[in-house]
Coordinates of all heavy atoms in Angstrom, one line a residue:
M1004 N 5.5 -2.7 -6.1 CA 4.5 -3.3 -7.1 C 4.1 -2.2 -8.1 O 4.0 -1.1 -7.8 CB 3.3 -3.8 -6.3 CG 3.5 -4.9 -5.4 SD 2.0 -5.5 -4.7 CE 1.3 -6.5 -5.9
K1005 N 3.9 -2.7 -9.3 CA 3.4 -1.8 -10.3 C 1.9 -1.8 -10.3 O 1.2 -2.7 -9.7 CB 3.9 -2.3 -11.7 CG 5.4 -2.3 -11.8 CD 5.9 -2.4 -13.2 CE 7.4 -2.3 -13.2 NZ 7.9 -1.5 -14.2
M1006 N 1.3 -0.8 -10.9 CA -0.2 -0.7 -10.9 C -0.9 -1.9 -11.6 O -1.9 -2.3 -11.1 CB -0.6 0.6 -11.6 CG -0.4 1.8 -10.7 SD -1.4 1.8 -9.2 CE -3.0 2.3 -9.8
V1007 N -0.2 -2.4 -12.6 CA -0.8 -3.6 -13.3 C -0.9 -4.8 -12.3 O -1.9 -5.4 -12.3 CB 0.1 -3.9 -14.5 CG1 -0.4 -5.2 -15.2 CG2 0.1 -2.8 -15.5
E1008 N 0.1 -5.0 -11.5 CA 0.1 -6.1 -10.6 C -0.9 -5.8 -9.5 O -1.6 -6.7 -9.0 CB 1.5 -6.2 -9.9 CG 2.6 -6.6 -10.9 CD 4.0 -6.5 -10.3 OE1 4.1 -5.9 -9.1 OE2 4.9 -6.9 -10.9
I1009 N -1.1 -4.6 -9.0 CA -2.0 -4.2 -8.0 C -3.5 -4.4 -8.5 O -4.3 -5.0 -7.8 CB -1.8 -2.8 -7.5 CG1 -0.5 -2.7 -6.8 CG2 -2.9 -2.3 -6.6 CD1 0.0 -1.3 -6.4
R1010 N -3.7 -4.0 -9.7 CA -5.1 -4.2 -10.3 C -5.5 -5.6 -10.4 O -6.7 -5.9 -10.4 CB -5.2 -3.4 -11.6 CG -5.1 -1.9 -11.4 CD -5.3 -1.2 -12.8 NE -5.0 0.2 -12.7 CZ -5.7 1.1 -12.2 NH1 -6.9 0.9 -11.8 NH2 -5.3 2.4 -12.3
K1011 N -4.5 -6.5 -10.6 CA -4.8 -7.9 -10.8 C -5.3 -8.6 -9.5 O -6.0 -9.6 -9.5 CB -3.6 -8.7 -11.3 CG -3.3 -8.4 -12.8 CD -2.2 -9.2 -13.3 CE -1.8 -8.8 -14.7 NZ -0.6 -9.6 -15.2
L1012 N -4.9 -8.0 -8.3 CA -5.3 -8.6 -7.0 C -6.7 -8.4 -6.7 O -7.3 -7.4 -7.1 CB -4.4 -8.0 -5.9 CG -2.9 -8.3 -6.0 CD1 -2.2 -7.5 -4.9 CD2 -2.6 -9.8 -5.9
A1013 N -7.3 -9.3 -5.9 CA -8.7 -9.2 -5.4 C -8.7 -8.1 -4.3 O -7.7 -7.8 -3.7 CB -9.2 -10.5 -4.9
T1014 N -9.9 -7.6 -4.1 CA -10.0 -6.5 -3.1 C -9.6 -7.0 -1.7 O -8.9 -6.2 -0.9 CB -11.4 -6.0 -3.0 OG1 -11.8 -5.6 -4.4 CG2 -11.6 -4.8 -2.1
E1015 N -9.9 -8.2 -1.3 CA -9.5 -8.8 0.0 C -8.0 -8.8 0.1 O -7.4 -8.5 1.1 CB -10.1 -10.2 0.1 CG -11.6 -10.2 0.2 CD -12.1 -11.6 0.2 OE1 -11.3 -12.6 0.2 OE2 -13.3 -11.8 0.2
D1016 N -7.3 -9.2 -1.0 CA -5.9 -9.3 -1.0 C -5.3 -7.9 -0.9 O -4.2 -7.7 -0.3 CB -5.4 -10.0 -2.3 CG -5.8 -11.4 -2.4 OD1 -6.0 -12.0 -1.3 OD2 -5.9 -11.9 -3.5
L1017 N -5.9 -6.9 -1.6 CA -5.4 -5.6 -1.5 C -5.5 -5.0 0.0 O -4.6 -4.4 0.4 CB -6.2 -4.6 -2.4 CG -5.9 -4.8 -3.9 CD1 -6.9 -3.9 -4.7 CD2 -4.5 -4.5 -4.2
N1018 N -6.6 -5.3 0.6 CA -6.7 -4.9 2.0 C -5.7 -5.5 2.9 O -5.1 -4.9 3.8 CB -8.1 -5.2 2.5 CG -9.2 -4.3 2.0 OD1 -8.9 -3.1 1.7 ND2 -10.4 -4.8 1.7
K1019 N -5.4 -6.8 2.7 CA -4.3 -7.5 3.5 C -3.0 -6.9 3.2 O -2.2 -6.6 4.1 CB -4.3 -9.0 3.1 CG -5.5 -9.8 3.6 CD -5.4 -11.2 3.2 CE -6.6 -12.0 3.6 NZ -6.6 -13.4 3.1
K1020 N -2.7 -6.6 1.9 CA -1.4 -6.0 1.5 C -1.3 -4.6 2.1 O -0.2 -4.2 2.5 CB -1.4 -6.0 0.0 CG 0.0 -5.5 -0.6 CD 1.0 -6.6 -0.4 CE 2.2 -6.2 -1.2 NZ 3.4 -7.0 -0.8
L1021 N -2.4 -3.9 2.1 CA -2.4 -2.5 2.7 C -2.0 -2.6 4.2 O -1.2 -1.8 4.6 CB -3.8 -1.9 2.5 CG -4.0 -0.5 3.0 CD1 -3.0 0.5 2.2 CD2 -5.4 0.0 2.8
E1022 N -2.6 -3.5 4.9 CA -2.3 -3.6 6.3 C -0.9 -4.0 6.6 O -0.2 -3.4 7.4 CB -3.3 -4.6 7.0 CG -4.7 -4.1 7.1 CD -4.8 -2.8 7.9 OE1 -4.1 -2.6 8.9 OE2 -5.5 -1.9 7.4
E1023 N -0.4 -4.9 5.8 CA 1.0 -5.3 5.9 C 2.0 -4.2 5.6 O 2.9 -4.0 6.4 CB 1.3 -6.5 4.9 CG 0.7 -7.8 5.2 CD 0.9 -8.8 4.1 OE1 1.6 -8.5 3.1 OE2 0.3 -9.9 4.2
N1024 N 1.7 -3.4 4.6 CA 2.5 -2.3 4.2 C 2.5 -1.2 5.3 O 3.5 -0.6 5.6 CB 2.1 -1.7 2.9 CG 2.5 -2.5 1.7 OD1 3.3 -3.4 1.9 ND2 2.0 -2.2 0.6
K1025 N 1.3 -1.0 5.9 CA 1.2 0.0 6.9 C 2.0 -0.4 8.2 O 2.7 0.5 8.8 CB -0.3 0.3 7.3 CG -1.0 1.1 6.3 CD -2.4 1.4 6.9 CE -3.2 2.3 6.0 NZ -4.5 2.6 6.5
K1026 N 2.0 -1.7 8.5 CA 2.7 -2.1 9.6 C 4.2 -2.0 9.4 O 5.0 -1.6 10.2 CB 2.4 -3.6 9.9 CG 1.1 -3.8 10.6 CD 0.7 -5.2 10.8 CE -0.7 -5.4 11.4 NZ -1.0 -6.8 11.6
E1027 N 4.7 -2.4 8.2 CA 6.1 -2.3 7.8 C 6.5 -0.8 7.8 O 7.6 -0.5 8.3 CB 6.3 -2.9 6.5 CG 7.8 -2.9 6.1 CD 8.1 -3.6 4.8 OE1 7.2 -4.2 4.2 OE2 9.3 -3.5 4.3
L1028 N 5.7 0.1 7.3 CA 6.0 1.5 7.3 C 6.1 2.0 8.7 O 7.1 2.8 9.0 CB 4.9 2.2 6.5 CG 5.1 3.7 6.3 CD1 6.4 4.0 5.5 CD2 3.9 4.3 5.5
F1029 N 5.2 1.6 9.6 CA 5.3 2.1 11.0 C 6.7 1.6 11.6 O 7.4 2.4 12.2 CB 4.2 1.5 11.8 CG 4.3 1.8 13.3 CD1 3.9 3.1 13.7 CD2 4.7 0.8 14.1 CE1 4.0 3.3 15.1 CE2 4.9 1.1 15.5 CZ 4.5 2.4 16.0
N1030 N 7.0 0.3 11.3 CA 8.3 -0.2 11.9 C 9.5 0.5 11.3 O 10.5 0.8 12.0 CB 8.4 -1.7 11.6 CG 7.4 -2.5 12.5 OD1 6.9 -2.0 13.5 ND2 7.0 -3.6 12.0
L1031 N 9.4 0.9 10.0 CA 10.5 1.6 9.4 C 10.7 3.0 10.0 O 11.8 3.5 10.2 CB 10.4 1.6 7.9 CG 10.7 0.3 7.2 CD1 10.4 0.4 5.7 CD2 12.1 -0.2 7.4
K1032 N 9.5 3.7 10.2 CA 9.6 5.0 10.7 C 10.1 5.0 12.1 O 10.9 5.9 12.6 CB 8.2 5.6 10.7 CG 7.7 6.1 9.4 CD 6.3 6.7 9.5 CE 5.9 7.2 8.1 NZ 4.5 7.8 8.2
F1033 N 9.8 3.9 12.9 CA 10.3 3.8 14.2 C 11.8 3.6 14.2 O 12.6 4.1 15.0 CB 9.6 2.6 14.9 CG 9.9 2.5 16.4 CD1 9.2 3.3 17.3 CD2 10.9 1.7 16.9 CE1 9.4 3.2 18.7 CE2 11.1 1.6 18.2 CZ 10.4 2.3 19.1
A1034 N 12.3 2.7 13.3 CA 13.7 2.4 13.2 C 14.4 3.7 12.7 O 15.6 3.9 13.2 CB 13.9 1.3 12.2
S1035 N 13.8 4.5 11.9 CA 14.4 5.7 11.4 C 14.6 6.7 12.6 O 15.6 7.4 12.7 CB 13.6 6.4 10.3 OG 14.1 7.6 10.0
A1036 N 13.6 6.8 13.4 CA 13.7 7.7 14.6 C 14.7 7.3 15.6 O 15.4 8.1 16.2 CB 12.3 7.7 15.3
T1037 N 15.0 6.0 15.7 CA 16.0 5.5 16.6 C 17.4 5.4 15.9 O 18.4 5.1 16.6 CB 15.7 4.1 17.2 OG1 15.5 3.2 16.1 CG2 14.4 4.2 18.0
G1038 N 17.5 5.7 14.6 CA 18.7 5.7 13.9 C 19.2 4.3 13.4 O 20.4 4.2 13.1
N1039 N 18.3 3.3 13.4 CA 18.7 2.0 13.0 C 18.2 1.6 11.6 O 18.1 0.4 11.3 CB 18.2 1.0 14.0 CG 18.8 1.2 15.4 OD1 19.9 1.7 15.5 ND2 18.0 0.9 16.4
L1040 N 18.0 2.5 10.7 CA 17.4 2.3 9.4 C 18.5 2.0 8.4 O 19.4 2.8 8.2 CB 16.6 3.4 9.0 CG 15.7 3.2 7.8 CD1 14.7 2.1 8.0 CD2 14.9 4.5 7.5
E1041 N 18.4 0.8 7.8 CA 19.4 0.4 6.8 C 19.1 0.9 5.4 O 19.9 1.3 4.6 CB 19.6 -1.1 6.7 CG 20.2 -1.6 8.0 CD 20.3 -3.1 7.9 OE1 20.2 -3.7 6.8 OE2 20.5 -3.7 9.0
K1042 N 17.8 0.9 5.0 CA 17.3 1.3 3.7 C 16.3 2.5 3.8 O 15.1 2.2 3.8 CB 16.7 0.1 3.0 CG 17.6 -1.0 2.8 CD 16.9 -2.2 2.1 CE 17.8 -3.4 1.9 NZ 17.1 -4.5 1.3
P1043 N 16.8 3.7 3.9 CA 15.8 4.8 4.0 C 14.9 5.0 2.8 O 13.8 5.5 3.0 CB 16.7 6.0 4.2 CG 18.1 5.6 4.0 CD 18.2 4.1 3.9
H1044 N 15.3 4.6 1.6 CA 14.4 4.7 0.5 C 13.2 3.8 0.5 O 12.2 4.0 -0.2 CB 15.2 4.4 -0.8 CG 15.7 3.0 -0.9 ND1 16.8 2.5 -0.3 CD2 15.1 2.0 -1.6 CE1 16.9 1.2 -0.6 NE2 15.9 0.9 -1.4
R1045 N 13.3 2.8 1.4 CA 12.1 1.8 1.5 C 10.9 2.6 2.1 O 9.8 2.2 1.7 CB 12.5 0.7 2.4 CG 11.5 -0.4 2.6 CD 11.3 -1.2 1.3 NE 10.3 -2.2 1.6 CZ 9.4 -2.5 0.7 NH1 9.2 -1.9 -0.4 NH2 8.5 -3.4 1.0
I1046 N 11.1 3.6 2.9 CA 10.0 4.3 3.4 C 9.2 5.0 2.3 O 8.0 4.9 2.2 CB 10.4 5.4 4.4 CG1 11.0 4.7 5.7 CG2 9.3 6.3 4.8 CD1 11.6 5.7 6.7
K1047 N 9.9 5.6 1.4 CA 9.3 6.3 0.2 C 8.5 5.2 -0.7 O 7.4 5.5 -1.1 CB 10.3 7.0 -0.6 CG 9.7 7.8 -1.8 CD 10.8 8.5 -2.5 CE 10.2 9.2 -3.7 NZ 11.1 10.0 -4.5
E1048 N 9.2 4.1 -0.9 CA 8.6 3.1 -1.7 C 7.3 2.6 -1.1 O 6.3 2.4 -1.8 CB 9.5 1.9 -1.8 CG 10.7 2.1 -2.7 CD 11.7 1.0 -2.7 OE1 11.5 0.0 -2.0 OE2 12.7 1.1 -3.4
L1049 N 7.3 2.4 0.2 CA 6.1 1.9 0.9 C 5.0 2.9 0.9 O 3.8 2.6 0.7 CB 6.4 1.5 2.3 CG 7.0 0.1 2.5 CD1 7.4 -0.1 4.0 CD2 6.0 -0.9 2.1
R1050 N 5.3 4.2 1.1 CA 4.3 5.3 1.0 C 3.6 5.3 -0.3 O 2.4 5.4 -0.4 CB 4.9 6.6 1.3 CG 5.2 6.8 2.8 CD 5.9 8.2 3.1 NE 5.3 9.2 2.4 CZ 6.0 10.1 1.7 NH1 7.3 10.0 1.6 NH2 5.4 11.1 1.1
H1051 N 4.4 5.1 -1.4 CA 3.8 5.2 -2.7 C 3.0 3.9 -3.0 O 1.9 4.0 -3.6 CB 5.0 5.2 -3.8 CG 5.6 6.6 -3.8 ND1 5.7 7.3 -5.0 CD2 6.1 7.4 -2.9 CE1 6.2 8.5 -4.8 NE2 6.5 8.6 -3.5
E1052 N 3.4 2.8 -2.5 CA 2.7 1.6 -2.7 C 1.3 1.6 -1.9 O 0.3 1.2 -2.4 CB 3.5 0.4 -2.2 CG 2.9 -1.0 -2.6 CD 3.8 -2.1 -2.4 OE1 5.0 -2.0 -2.7 OE2 3.3 -3.2 -2.0
V1053 N 1.3 2.2 -0.7 CA 0.1 2.3 0.0 C -0.9 3.2 -0.7 O -2.1 2.9 -0.8 CB 0.4 2.9 1.5 CG1 -0.9 3.4 2.1 CG2 1.1 1.9 2.3
A1054 N -0.3 4.3 -1.3 CA -1.2 5.2 -2.1 C -1.8 4.5 -3.3 O -2.9 4.7 -3.6 CB -0.4 6.5 -2.5
K1055 N -1.0 3.7 -4.0 CA -1.5 3.0 -5.1 C -2.6 2.0 -4.8 O -3.6 2.0 -5.5 CB -0.3 2.2 -5.8 CG 0.7 3.1 -6.5 CD 1.8 2.2 -7.0 CE 3.0 3.0 -7.6 NZ 4.1 2.1 -8.1
I1056 N -2.4 1.3 -3.7 CA -3.4 0.4 -3.2 C -4.7 1.1 -2.9 O -5.8 0.6 -3.2 CB -2.9 -0.5 -2.1 CG1 -1.7 -1.4 -2.6 CG2 -4.0 -1.3 -1.5 CD1 -1.0 -2.1 -1.5
K1057 N -4.6 2.2 -2.1 CA -5.8 2.9 -1.7 C -6.5 3.5 -3.0 O -7.7 3.5 -3.0 CB -5.4 4.1 -0.8 CG -5.1 3.7 0.6 CD -4.8 4.9 1.4 CE -4.6 4.5 2.9 NZ -4.4 5.7 3.7
T1058 N -5.7 3.9 -4.0 CA -6.3 4.4 -5.2 C -7.2 3.3 -5.9 O -8.3 3.5 -6.3 CB -5.2 4.9 -6.2 OG1 -4.5 5.9 -5.5 CG2 -5.8 5.4 -7.5
V1059 N -6.6 2.1 -6.0 CA -7.3 1.0 -6.7 C -8.6 0.6 -5.9 O -9.6 0.4 -6.5 CB -6.4 -0.2 -6.9 CG1 -7.2 -1.4 -7.4 CG2 -5.3 0.2 -7.9
I1060 N -8.5 0.6 -4.6 CA -9.6 0.2 -3.7 C -10.7 1.3 -3.9 O -11.9 0.9 -4.1 CB -9.2 0.1 -2.2 CG1 -8.3 -1.1 -2.0 CG2 -10.4 0.0 -1.3 CD1 -7.7 -1.2 -0.7
R1061 N -10.3 2.5 -3.9 CA -11.3 3.6 -4.1 C -12.0 3.6 -5.5 O -13.2 3.8 -5.6 CB -10.7 5.0 -3.9 CG -11.6 6.1 -4.0 CD -12.7 6.1 -2.9 NE -13.5 7.2 -3.0 CZ -14.8 7.3 -2.7 NH1 -15.4 6.2 -2.1 NH2 -15.5 8.3 -2.8
E1062 N -11.2 3.3 -6.5 CA -11.7 3.1 -7.9 C -12.8 2.0 -7.9 O -13.8 2.2 -8.6 CB -10.6 2.8 -8.9 CG -9.7 4.0 -9.2 CD -8.6 3.6 -10.1 OE1 -8.4 2.4 -10.4 OE2 -7.9 4.5 -10.6
R1063 N -12.5 0.9 -7.3 CA -13.5 -0.2 -7.2 C -14.7 0.2 -6.5 O -15.8 -0.2 -6.9 CB -12.8 -1.4 -6.6 CG -11.8 -2.0 -7.5 CD -11.1 -3.2 -6.9 NE -10.0 -3.7 -7.8 CZ -9.3 -4.7 -7.6 NH1 -9.4 -5.4 -6.4 NH2 -8.3 -5.1 -8.4
E1064 N -14.6 0.9 -5.4 CA -15.8 1.4 -4.6 C -16.6 2.3 -5.5 O -17.9 2.2 -5.5 CB -15.4 2.1 -3.4 CG -14.8 1.3 -2.3 CD -14.2 2.1 -1.1 OE1 -14.3 3.3 -1.2 OE2 -13.7 1.5 -0.2
L1065 N -16.0 3.2 -6.2 CA -16.7 4.1 -7.1 C -17.4 3.4 -8.2 O -18.5 3.8 -8.6 CB -15.8 5.3 -7.6 CG -15.3 6.2 -6.6 CD1 -14.3 7.2 -7.2 CD2 -16.5 7.0 -5.9
S1066 N -16.8 2.4 -8.8 CA -17.4 1.7 -9.9 C -18.6 0.9 -9.5 O -19.5 0.8 -10.2 CB -16.3 0.8 -10.6 OG -15.9 -0.2 -9.8
K1067 N -18.5 0.4 -8.2 CA -19.7 -0.3 -7.7 C -20.9 0.7 -7.5 O -22.0 0.3 -7.7 CB -19.4 -1.0 -6.3 CG -18.5 -2.2 -6.5 CD -18.2 -2.8 -5.1 CE -17.3 -4.0 -5.2 NZ -17.0 -4.6 -3.9
E1068 N -20.6 1.9 -7.0 CA -21.6 2.9 -6.8 C -22.3 3.3 -8.1 O -23.5 3.5 -8.2 CB -21.1 4.1 -6.1 CG -20.7 3.8 -4.6 CD -20.1 5.0 -4.0 OE1 -20.1 6.1 -4.6 OE2 -19.6 4.9 -2.8
E1069 N -21.5 3.4 -9.1 CA -22.0 3.8 -10.4 C -22.8 2.7 -11.1 O -23.8 3.0 -11.8 CB -20.8 4.2 -11.4 CG -20.1 5.5 -11.1 CD -19.0 5.8 -12.0 OE1 -18.7 5.0 -12.9 OE2 -18.3 6.8 -11.8
A1070 N -22.5 1.5 -10.8 CA -23.2 0.3 -11.3 C -24.6 0.3 -10.7 O -25.6 -0.2 -11.3 CB -22.5 -1.0 -11.1
N1071 N -24.8 0.8 -9.5 CA -26.1 0.7 -8.8 C -26.9 1.8 -9.3 O -27.5 2.4 -9.8 CB -26.0 0.9 -7.3 CG -25.3 -0.4 -6.7 OD1 -25.4 -1.4 -7.3 ND2 -24.6 -0.2 -5.6

C-alpha cells in the first residue's frame, strides 16, 4: 500500500490492517525458517507496510495531543 492509501483509512481500519499484516509476517517468517517460502520479497514488503501504518497511527496520536 502507498502512504496516500494508508492515510485515507480510518484509525480502526489501520489497527485491523496492522494486526493482519503482523500475523501474515509471522507466518511468512515461520515458512522461511522451514524452507517453504515461495515469495521471500513479501517479508520485506510487509515489514515496510507495518512501519508505514505505525507511522500514520503515531502521527494521528500526536496531532490529537497537540489539539488538546
